[in-house]
Amino acid sequence: MVAKILFLTFWNGYIFTVFHKKKDAIFINLVGFVLIIFLILKFLNLEFFIKWLIILILGTLYNSNIFNINIREFWLVKTFYVGLVWAMSLVWLPLENFHLAWFLIIFLFTSAITFPFEIRDLGRDPFPTLPKAIGIKNTKILSVTFLLFSGVLAFIYLKRNFAISLGITIVISIILAIFSGKKRDDLYYSFFLESLSALPFLIYFILNLKN
């Protein structure tokens, strides 16, 4: 049930982030979140619901003017905010005992694969971002560094198939990060880079087919 709730939350979050200004998307979000709340209260507990609600509020504040606050426009917040929310969602939310190494694995990996998007948006974002602060080349270096640290922690703290799944994804991520740039077409980002967040789960599923 936790896995289903996480999937629905990420799906609704994606729809909200990308399409929150469209009425149809708002309706779909409302239906989705009502369903999630029902599932949490029926099958889980109040503590899980409160943690989920905190993450929901953080996600809403990232790219919305509902509360007249757009967190992503603050100094370099956009750079690490997505990684923080993903790590909270996959480690802090579902686990009763917080695991710092797992949190860092997710935070470093997710942050790293969002850096190329900041390179793409360099001419679009009117607020301070990582490439503006340290340059495109250094942003790529930081992305690769984060990915390598995430991979090292994965092979130390994760089980074999989990580590292999993330390791393969990290190799692909490093290649995509290195060759990212402002002149890359939208498919490079909207398909290849965005698919990286789901790729470890797909590889893990393939590795476990024989079982």
Side-chain angles (χ1 to χ4, degrees):
M1 182 54 63
V2 172
K4 294 178 181 177
I5 289 171
L6 287 175
F7 174 79
L8 289 172
T9 299
F10 281 123
W11 179 253
N12 275 269
Y14 177 80
I15 291 174
F16 177 82
T17 301
V18 178
F19 305 108
H20 66 275
K21 294 182 179 180
K22 297 183 179 181
K23 293 182 179 180
D24 292 342
I26 293 175
F27 175 76
I28 293 173
N29 274 144
L30 289 175
V31 172
F33 287 127
V34 168
L35 174 61
I36 295 169
I37 291 171
F38 169 77
L39 293 174
I40 292 175
L41 295 180
K42 182 174 177 60
F43 296 103
L44 298 172
N45 53 52
L46 182 60
E47 180 183 356
F48 188 97
F49 174 72
I50 293 174
K51 290 162 73 173
W52 176 85
L53 192 60
I54 291 172
I55 292 172
L56 176 66
I57 293 172
L58 289 175
T60 303
L61 292 176
Y62 174 70
N63 191 27
S64 172
N65 292 317
I66 292 178
F67 304 108
N68 292 320
I69 300 174
N70 197 331
I71 293 293
R72 68 198 298 266
E73 295 186 3
F74 285 86
W75 174 252
L76 295 184
V77 167
K78 179 185 177 184
T79 300
F80 304 107
Y81 198 85
V82 175
L84 175 65
V85 173
W86 269 78
M88 291 177 66
S89 301
L90 293 175
V91 179
W92 178 66
L93 173 61
L95 301 181
E96 292 184 4
N97 298 316
F98 181 76
H99 199 298
L100 179 60
W102 294 357
F103 186 90
L104 289 175
I105 290 168
I106 301 299
F107 172 76
L108 291 170
F109 171 74
T110 310
S111 296
I113 63 175
T114 62
F115 293 168
F117 289 93
E118 297 200 27
I119 294 174
R120 178 198 65 180
D121 297 337
L122 190 56
R124 309 178 190 177
D125 290 333
F127 45 86
T129 59
L130 191 62
K132 290 181 180 180
I134 66 175
I136 293 176
K137 180 180 179 180
N138 288 331
T139 298
K140 292 182 180 182
I141 291 173
L142 188 62
S143 177
V144 172
T145 303
F146 272 35
L147 288 167
L148 291 175
F149 272 111
S150 179
V152 170
L153 290 173
F155 278 93
I156 294 173
Y157 291 101
L158 299 183
K159 292 183 178 179
R160 180 176 177 273
N161 281 359
F162 281 114
I164 292 173
S165 302
L166 188 60
I168 294 172
T169 304
I170 284 173
V171 172
I172 298 172
S173 301
I174 288 174
I175 295 171
L176 291 175
I178 290 173
F179 289 99
S180 61
K182 293 188 292 182
K183 295 182 179 180
R184 291 288 180 185
D185 57 36
D186 287 338
L187 182 65
Y188 189 87
Y189 294 95
S190 61
F191 178 74
F192 292 109
L193 276 163
E194 285 199 7
S195 299
L196 292 174
S197 56
L199 188 57
F201 302 101
L202 177 60
I203 296 173
Y204 180 80
F205 174 77
I206 294 173
L207 291 175
N208 286 275
L209 280 178
K210 61 181 180 179
N211 298 324

